[in-house]
Amino acid sequence: MVSPRAASGCGDSGSPFSEIIELNVGGQVYVTRHKTLIAVPDSLLWNMFSKKSPKELARDSKGRFFLDRDGFLFRYILDYLRDLNLVLPDYFPEKSRLQREADFFLLRDLAKRLSPRVSKDNSISEEIIQSDTEDGAQCCSSSGEPLRALSASGAMRSPSLDSRKSGYITVGYRGSYTIGRDIQTDAKFRRVARITVCGKTSLAKEVFGETLNESRDPDRPPERYTSRYYLKYNFLEQAFDKLTEAGFHMVACSSTGTCAYTSNDPNEDKIWTSYTEYVFCRE
């Protein structure tokens, strides 16, 4: 028997799939049209939703079709399938991972657009950059137009090195735990509720990409500062890894804590609440 989620109508003539399809991609739920999923012939999704029956596809506990892939990056896969155009946000650091997803879904044209350009001297570049002041003044052609910045070996300098801006990013979290009468044996830790991100908008987006939740400050210009962003995960080590990969290092940290009783009885459990901030710098 076909699930109601996949049989509320037929998408294409003779198709066992409904016109509207719900997907669970790595825990992220998407709702789209059947014709969108089969927009690119011979792609993985085309094979799944045109060559197979609903009974052959994996589902989650709520009947959605399940794909064990990156749920955040799938939004760009789906956007591409809608009109076969690729539009990425500014300061998008996940191109290589998105290319891997495009390869997995057999979207060859999308993967080709995402692949870095390789010049004749085998140097990789995605844009023209200017040289640093340490390397001398900007070179110009006879017409006055700027030339591409070259390294000592003559190869184009990597934009991943030269285009990085210096600055500070502060990440903070609020945690709490309860200590009972027997101290260690009764300690009950609560997970970190939210990791906040403070700093320049462009730096925050560069470092954390799609793992950054901008819902509390969605229209902040790139060169403005914000203290309202937070991360979509609750692991500090994951945030530290992201910052380290982007060239940041920790320069300071601070923490405050308060203690309260759950009741007026001093023998009852104590609840400790702390707020900690870590300051990272990239020079």
Side-chain angles (χ1 to χ4, degrees), residues 173-179 188-191 193 255-262 270-276:
Y173 78 95
R174 191 179 306 277
S176 63
Y177 57 93
T178 302
I179 297 181
K188 300 175 182 178
F189 292 88
R190 302 179 183 178
R191 67 173 185 165
S255 181
T256 59
T258 58
C259 177
Y261 293 101
T262 57
K270 297 178 181 179
I271 298 179
W272 286 86
T273 301
S274 65
Y275 180 74
T276 307

Side-chain angles (χ1 to χ4, degrees), residues 71-137:
F72 293 114
L73 291 179
F74 187 75
R75 61 179 292 190
Y76 301 108
I77 298 292
L78 201 56
D79 282 345
Y80 173 77
L81 291 175
R82 289 184 178 118
D83 53 18
L84 301 185
N85 283 324
L86 175 64
V87 179
L88 296 177
D90 295 334
Y91 312 103
F92 185 73
E94 308 263 15
K95 282 188 178 180
S96 60
R97 293 181 60 193
L98 182 57
Q99 183 184 359
R100 184 180 64 183
E101 295 300 299
D103 288 332
F104 174 83
F105 286 105
L106 302 179
L107 299 171
R108 297 177 179 84
D109 182 64
L110 177 59
K112 184 178 179 180
R113 296 189 195 185
L114 290 167
S115 61
R117 299 175 182 177
V118 180
S119 64
K120 293 181 180 179
D121 57 4
N122 292 326
S123 62
I124 299 176
S125 176
E126 294 182 357
E127 59 184 0
I128 297 175
I129 58 173
Q130 297 179 357
S131 61
D132 290 340
T133 55
E134 297 177 358
D135 297 327

Side-chain angles (χ1 to χ4, degrees), residues 137-148:
Q138 176 178 307
C139 298
C140 297
S141 65
S142 57
S143 61
E145 297 180 352
L147 298 174
R148 297 183 177 184

